[in-house]
Amino acid sequence: MTGKATSEASVSSPEETEPEPAKVPTTEASGEVAASESTGQEQAPEPQKPGSQALDHVAPEASATPATTKPEPPSEDVPSAPLQLTLEDVSHSSLTVSWEPPEKLGKLGLQGYVLELCREGASEWVPVNPRPVMVTQQTVRNLALGDKFFLRVTAVSSAGAGPAAVLDHPVHIQEIIEAPKIRVPRHLRQTYIRQVGESVNLQIPFQGKPKPQASWTHNGHALDSQRVNVRTGDQDSILFIRSAQRSDSGRYELTVHLEGLEAKANIDILVIEKPGPPSSIRLLDVWGCNAALEWTPPQDTGNTELLGYTVQKADKKTGQWFTVLERYHPTTCTISDLIIGNSYSFRVFSENLCGLSDQATTTKELAHIQKADITAKPKGFIERDFSEAPSFTQPLADHTSTPGYSTQLFCSVRASPKPKIIWMKNKMDIQGDPKYRAVSEQGVCTLEIRKPSPFDSGVYTCKAINVLGEASVDCRLEVKVLKDLVEVQGCVNKENVREDP
């Protein structure tokens, strides 16, 4: 016994009769069974009425005497009926059945199974496979759409065929129904906004098999065929409006029907245009360099919400308009920084997604900015005294230097008026000595000692003096001779003498 497969064969009848041409299965290269037109070459068992529980095989014609009649094989030699005949799958052109081996295989062993089918309303059973096959699952392909078949299967041994297992109900070959489904594009899952005069072109894909029927409604009512065009194909439905008007706004519902199943999708369309200007505007008050305005919202907002108002001003002299406020939501405002002596007009635009209103509402009266008698009263100015005695904010730091390398000493002083800086070495004034260079800039005092020697070591003092006092700071400078450097130089000289020939 083998596992489930898709290879089939048919059982030949010993009777040499030529049946009428009928559609019978044939074996394909893949091992599955395909339906074809029978030519009468294959012999099949005599058909049995659909729904019977036993397979009546064709026997040789009976002779005039009972002695020539072929006896039926003993029940112990033939196998019993296969078990659990089940329809596994059915499509628009094929079917698949499976079964389990019989309880009794017969004394002579099992040679295979024969699958037969009979069209509804007919009496002839047609074998699917020409000879028994050792499989427990078969697939029959290339069946005609709309046919109904009864199925039965028998187990065959060398002694003959056993009783048949018959499928309880006929198999209907029909097109597979795929439930309808609508795929709304992402940009249409929110309100679809168009301006008046623009075209609306909605392409909504859908799925379904066989081809479903699609229908549209606008706010629950049928579409106006004079304004809206609809074209439905196999996979999508297109709604087209050549020139949209505000009356086209609303909810459009697409419904796809398929044999009792349906899918719906809603698309909200909003057709907008520019708003009207504010209904009225009034100059409330003028004071100083300020003016207060108030206006009322427009009667027509353009079929959408307002984004705000744009307020502009123009002086009487130039007549040029300048924007003061943009997308301003309240209906009252105060305009400041107006020029004294000028007279101003004001106007207000409404704004929505389409832009500013074509017209603006302008104030009928001018706002005159009067010149006020203003007398300046300067406050008394108290001059601050910044005089300060010298004080060092950064003192001198002790320093160690090497002979022959210039070094610098730094400190910083704060004083007002500017102090006089005196540098000393070991309490002796060193100003005028060319070996030293003193610089004082922005309160930073610097003393540069050019190529110092050990003789230049000592205590250095920086003294700052002005009319308010004086201050001084000290540091110690050491100029050290590197003895190791002298020893290294001596070794180098000895090596040079040795190498001299």
Side-chain angles (χ1 to χ4, degrees), residues 93-347:
S93 63
S94 66
L95 60 87
T96 301
V97 292
S98 65
W99 59 88
E100 297 294 333
E103 294 183 358
K104 299 180 180 180
L105 302 180
K107 293 182 179 181
L108 301 180
L110 185 66
Q111 289 186 343
Y113 303 92
V114 175
L115 178 65
E116 297 174 299
L117 55 84
C118 177
R119 287 185 176 86
E120 188 180 41
S123 60
E124 181 181 6
W125 287 93
V126 180
V128 174
N129 45 298
R131 48 187 174 273
V133 291
M134 293 294 292
V135 297
T136 57
Q137 177 174 305
Q138 287 186 268
T139 299
V140 184
R141 297 188 179 278
N142 298 335
L143 299 176
L145 191 66
D147 283 349
K148 289 186 177 182
F149 294 96
F150 289 93
L151 293 172
R152 72 181 184 183
V153 62
T154 57
V156 180
S157 68
S158 58
V166 183
L167 202 63
D168 296 337
H169 51 82
V171 180
H172 188 194
I173 307 301
Q174 58 185 354
E175 190 170 3
I176 299 176
I177 297 177
E178 181 181 349
K181 186 177 181 180
I182 302 175
R183 297 186 178 274
V184 180
R186 184 179 300 274
H187 69 282
L188 296 179
R189 296 176 189 174
Q190 54 188 0
T191 303
Y192 184 60
I193 300 177
R194 306 296 291 171
Q195 294 188 23
V196 171
E198 293 182 344
S199 62
V200 176
N201 190 5
L202 305 181
Q203 183 177 7
I204 312 299
F206 58 78
Q207 296 176 345
K209 194 174 182 182
K211 177 184 176 181
Q213 300 295 324
S215 61
W216 289 85
T217 60
H218 179 208
N219 293 332
H221 301 86
L223 299 179
D224 184 359
S225 58
Q226 296 182 354
R227 291 195 45 76
V228 183
N229 297 321
V230 175
R231 183 186 66 80
T232 302
D234 294 338
Q235 298 180 348
D236 58 15
S237 182
I238 299 176
L239 182 143
F240 179 74
I241 303 176
R242 185 174 301 276
S243 179
Q245 300 298 325
R246 289 171 61 168
S247 59
D248 296 323
S249 302
R251 171 161 292 185
Y252 289 79
E253 184 178 71
L254 171 61
T255 305
V256 178
H257 302 271
L258 179 60
E259 296 190 8
L261 302 175
E262 69 175 15
K264 294 184 178 181
N266 295 324
I267 300 172
D268 294 324
I269 298 179
L270 182 62
V271 182
I272 63 176
E273 60 182 342
K274 291 183 178 181
S279 300
S280 62
I281 186 172
R282 186 163 61 99
L283 183 62
L284 294 179
D285 191 13
V286 178
W287 73 98
C289 298
N290 309 296
L293 300 176
E294 182 183 29
W295 59 89
T296 55
Q299 296 180 354
D300 182 11
T301 61
N303 203 29
T304 185
E305 295 182 356
L306 292 177
L307 297 179
Y309 302 93
T310 296
V311 182
Q312 295 182 345
K313 67 178 180 179
D315 63 88
K316 185 177 180 181
K317 295 179 180 179
T318 62
Q320 295 181 353
W321 291 99
F322 297 93
T323 300
V324 179
L325 299 171
E326 288 184 308
R327 294 195 175 182
Y328 184 76
H329 291 280
T331 55
T332 60
C333 72
T334 300
I335 301 176
S336 304
D337 299 330
L338 300 177
I339 300 175
I340 296 176
N342 287 354
S343 298
Y344 290 91
S345 296
F346 303 96
R347 66 182 184 183

Side-chain angles (χ1 to χ4, degrees), residues 401-403 454 479-491:
S401 181
T402 304
V479 181
K480 292 185 177 181
V481 178
L482 299 179
K483 297 181 179 180
D484 296 339
L485 180 61
V486 176
E487 294 177 358
V488 172
Q489 185 65 31
C491 294

